Amino acid sequence: MKRRGDTENKIIQAALEIFVRKGYHGTSVHEITSKAGLTKGALYSHFSGKGDLLLRIIDEFKSRFIGGMVDTLKQSSGNALNRIHDVISFNSRFAQDNQHLCVFLTFLTTELNADVDFEPALKGTYLEYRKVISEIISQGIRQGLFKKNLDPDVAALTFMALHDGVLHQWVLNRYHLDGELYVRTFREVFLNGLVREEISIERTVEQMQSNSSKGSENGTSGGI
Amino acid sequence: MKRRGDTENKIIQAALEIFVRKGYHGTSVHEITSKAGLTKGALYSHFSGKGDLLLRIIDEFKSRFIGGMVDTLKQSSGNALNRIHDVISFNSRFAQDNQHLCVFLTFLTTELNADVDFEPALKGTYLEYRKVISEIISQGIRQGLFKKNLDPDVAALTFMALHDGVLHQWVLNRYHLDGELYVRTFREVFLNGLVREEISIERTVEQMQSNSSKGSENGTSGGI
DNA sequence: ACCCCAATACTGACCGATTGGTATTTAAAT
DNA sequence: ATTTAAATACCAATCGGTCAGTATTGGGGT
């Protein structure tokens, strides 16, 4: 017997895949339904329109990705460093198991963040995401594990930035890139940086001296 | 007197801004020309079409951004760490001076990387970008400044990932985010990591021990 | 087991609006 | 007067969406 949810999922999966590959406005309703083995009319008996379909996918992302991170953290005991590791592992597994969904938020947000119909849902999802990461970083700073001069929210944004960017690069180079190597590099760079520890320590001292004498040299780079 | 290049630039600037905000397929030719204070016909006497216009913007990006980095590096004396700092400074300044162009490549690539008309130009640009960064990292490894276990290409991709992601987050939060603080965090995290040096060193030893006993625990995270 | 029927799932033709692009005309500069 | 830039009017194609109608389904009643 055919169940209602099955067709909806077929449509959602087809739409998700094409949205990610060609963008929202680059994807036609016809293309979605024909990929799902249906005709256009069928979509409108399950969704109120193309926009509604997108919002449903955003919900799907929210519950699967954000929800999954939250669940992971509930079961994660240990200090903030362990918890960050657990989150990275979850994200890595999630990307592996949901090749299209994992980049959905990033990709669609670049196109639709100024669209009144979708901006609230997209920004809201990013906010939930940030809160999860920010909390861990705050905890890590309190526990003396992470650098205390970091703003937790900004550091969380940096984490998300790196994560989004890595996924982006990974998708662009999917067939020419060793995924495992890449994720190891991601971990290593985010947690410990590019620079060798010995060098890093010398450099920090050197920088503090030059900064205190030069004053606000950084002003020229304000604004990213 | 009206010079040919002036109107072309007006059109390019208008197109660039809307492309970045609404995506390529989400932007109509009418919208572009009307923003430039012209009508549709004018565009077609300067460009062969919407696609040609986009390719011209890609060229613009190539010469301004990639070319700018190369020029910066030509004038940059010193070791790889100094050169990376110079590149980050250039990128930071570039983003400041070219608010729309700086995210152009990232944003448009998410939508068009599967489009036969644009994919070669987009991927080619990313490749040039990567070669510039990869070369510095190789140099840094040779000079003993950067971790020698990193693959230069993968580390370059990580740099680009972080850079793209940071720009993305910055655009999404443009009015609620201290740009200077954000770029400092970017620098700090990419070069030295999130974790405090003392912790990092302890952890490295600890990890090496557990890794050698557990074997390939990382297999589950291969893929990000 | 059979038929019947109401509810549902889906089709296919169609709509108005908008799209990228073209052809022709007008205006302006040299 | 000739050339060129831009405006105007127009086109075929495609877009998202609607709707009347057709299969297909599942659940009584007998």
Side-chain angles (χ1 to χ4, degrees), chain B residues 204-216:
Chain B
T204 304
V205 176
E206 190 184 300
Q207 227 169 15
M208 284 168 67
Q209 290 170 339
S210 86
N211 266 357
S212 61
S213 63
K214 273 195 180 180
S216 60

Side-chain angles (χ1 to χ4, degrees), chain A residues 146-166:
Chain A
F146 299 158
K147 292 166 178 163
K148 61 178 183 296
N149 60 323
L150 295 174
D151 178 283
D153 275 333
V154 175
L157 283 174
T158 309
F159 174 91
M160 293 156 65
L162 183 53
H163 182 242
D164 280 1
V166 163

Side-chain angles (χ1 to χ4, degrees), chain B residues 24-72:
Chain B
Y24 177 74
H25 290 111
T27 303
S28 72
V29 173
H30 172 78
E31 202 176 352
I32 294 170
T33 50
S34 99
K35 186 179 183 78
L38 298 165
T39 57
K40 226 169 25 159
L43 189 144
Y44 286 90
S45 66
H46 290 272
F47 305 91
S48 76
K50 192 186 173 186
D52 178 49
L53 175 55
L54 182 72
L55 291 173
R56 288 278 300 272
I57 302 182
I58 296 177
D59 280 342
E60 187 99 0
F61 179 87
K62 239 169 163 170
S63 70
R64 298 253 287 266
F65 181 68
I66 311 276
M69 274 197 305
V70 171
D71 288 348
T72 298

Side-chain angles (χ1 to χ4, degrees), chain A residues 24-195:
Chain A
Y24 177 76
H25 290 110
T27 303
S28 71
V29 173
H30 172 78
E31 202 175 354
I32 295 170
T33 50
S34 97
K35 187 181 183 75
L38 298 166
T39 56
K40 221 168 32 161
L43 188 143
Y44 289 90
S45 66
H46 291 272
F47 305 91
S48 76
K50 193 186 174 186
D52 179 47
L53 175 54
L54 183 73
L55 291 173
R56 289 278 299 272
I57 301 181
I58 296 177
D59 279 343
E60 187 100 358
F61 179 88
K62 239 173 166 167
S63 69
R64 298 253 286 265
F65 181 68
I66 312 275
M69 274 198 305
V70 170
D71 288 350
T72 298
L73 287 169
K74 269 181 194 156
Q75 297 164 12
S76 167
S77 56
N79 63 29
L81 190 53
N82 291 324
R83 285 160 71 86
I84 275 280
H85 268 96
D86 287 342
V87 166
I88 295 176
S89 288
F90 170 79
N91 288 1
S92 169
R93 224 177 313 119
F94 183 84
Q96 200 172 249
D97 300 339
N98 306 272
Q99 301 211 1
H100 304 111
L101 194 59
C102 69
V103 288
F104 168 77
L105 185 66
T106 315
F107 280 26
L108 274 292
T109 300
T110 62
E111 183 182 354
L112 300 172
N113 88 79
D115 189 312
V116 284
D117 293 330
F118 308 117
E119 190 241 277
L122 293 168
K123 287 225 168 131
T125 308
Y126 263 115
L127 187 64
E128 286 188 38
Y129 185 3
R130 193 178 73 192
K131 275 162 68 179
V132 172
I133 305 298
S134 177
E135 201 179 295
I136 304 176
I137 294 179
S138 295
Q139 187 194 2
I141 294 173
R142 280 197 308 272
Q143 295 177 339
L145 294 166
F146 299 158
K147 292 166 178 163
K148 61 178 183 296
N149 60 323
L150 295 174
D151 178 283
D153 275 333
V154 175
L157 283 174
T158 309
F159 174 91
M160 293 156 65
L162 183 53
H163 182 242
D164 280 1
V166 163
L167 285 179
H168 184 196
Q169 290 296 339
W170 185 61
V171 167
L172 293 189
N173 300 282
R174 192 162 286 187
Y175 302 108
H176 314 287
L177 191 60
D178 178 344
E180 192 179 330
L181 178 61
Y182 197 29
V183 75
R184 266 212 311 275
T185 308
F186 167 62
R187 255 184 228 252
E188 174 70 16
V189 167
F190 184 70
L191 296 176
N192 301 321
L194 180 75
V195 178

Side-chain angles (χ1 to χ4, degrees), chain B:
Chain B
M1 75 179 135
K2 276 191 182 177
R3 292 160 41 79
R4 179 171 185 90
D6 289 348
T7 26
E8 289 191 3
N9 278 335
K10 261 202 306 194
I11 293 174
I12 286 181
Q13 282 307 315
L16 168 63
E17 189 174 332
I18 313 181
F19 281 161
V20 163
R21 206 172 69 241
K22 310 173 73 170
Y24 177 74
H25 290 111
T27 303
S28 72
V29 173
H30 172 78
E31 202 176 352
I32 294 170
T33 50
S34 99
K35 186 179 183 78
L38 298 165
T39 57
K40 226 169 25 159
L43 189 144
Y44 286 90
S45 66
H46 290 272
F47 305 91
S48 76
K50 192 186 173 186
D52 178 49
L53 175 55
L54 182 72
L55 291 173
R56 288 278 300 272
I57 302 182
I58 296 177
D59 280 342
E60 187 99 0
F61 179 87
K62 239 169 163 170
S63 70
R64 298 253 287 266
F65 181 68
I66 311 276
M69 274 197 305
V70 171
D71 288 348
T72 298
L73 286 170
K74 269 181 194 155
Q75 296 163 14
S76 168
S77 56
N79 62 28
L81 190 53
N82 291 325
R83 285 160 71 86
I84 274 281
H85 267 97
D86 286 342
V87 166
I88 294 176
S89 289
F90 169 80
N91 287 2
S92 170
R93 223 177 313 118
F94 183 84
Q96 200 172 249
D97 300 340
N98 306 273
Q99 301 212 3
H100 304 112
L101 194 59
C102 69
V103 287
F104 167 78
L105 185 66
T106 315
F107 279 27
L108 273 292
T109 300
T110 63
E111 184 183 353
L112 300 173
N113 88 79
D115 189 311
V116 285
D117 293 330
F118 308 117
E119 190 241 276
L122 293 168
K123 286 224 168 134
T125 308
Y126 262 114
L127 187 64
E128 286 189 38
Y129 185 3
R130 192 177 74 191
K131 276 162 66 180
V132 172
I133 304 299
S134 177
E135 201 180 296
I136 305 175
I137 294 179
S138 294
Q139 188 194 3
I141 295 173
R142 280 198 307 273
Q143 295 176 340
L145 293 167
F146 299 157
K147 293 168 177 163
K148 62 178 180 299
N149 60 323
L150 294 175
D151 178 284
D153 274 334
V154 174
L157 283 174
T158 309
F159 175 90
M160 293 156 66
L162 184 53
H163 182 243
D164 280 1
V166 163
L167 286 178
H168 183 196
Q169 290 296 338
W170 183 61
V171 167
L172 293 188
N173 301 281
R174 194 163 283 190
Y175 304 109
H176 314 289
L177 190 59
D178 178 344
E180 192 179 331
L181 178 62
Y182 198 27
V183 76
R184 266 211 313 275
T185 307
F186 166 62
R187 251 185 232 252
E188 174 70 14
V189 166
F190 183 69
L191 295 176
N192 300 321
L194 179 76
V195 178
R196 286 177 52 213
E197 272 88 12
E198 306 82 23
I199 303 289
S200 171
I201 292 167
E202 295 168 22
R203 176 92 190 173
T204 304
V205 176
E206 190 184 300
Q207 227 169 15
M208 284 168 67
Q209 290 170 339
S210 86
N211 266 357
S212 61
S213 63
K214 273 195 180 180
S216 60
E217 179 266 342
N218 264 338
T220 55
S221 53
I224 228 206

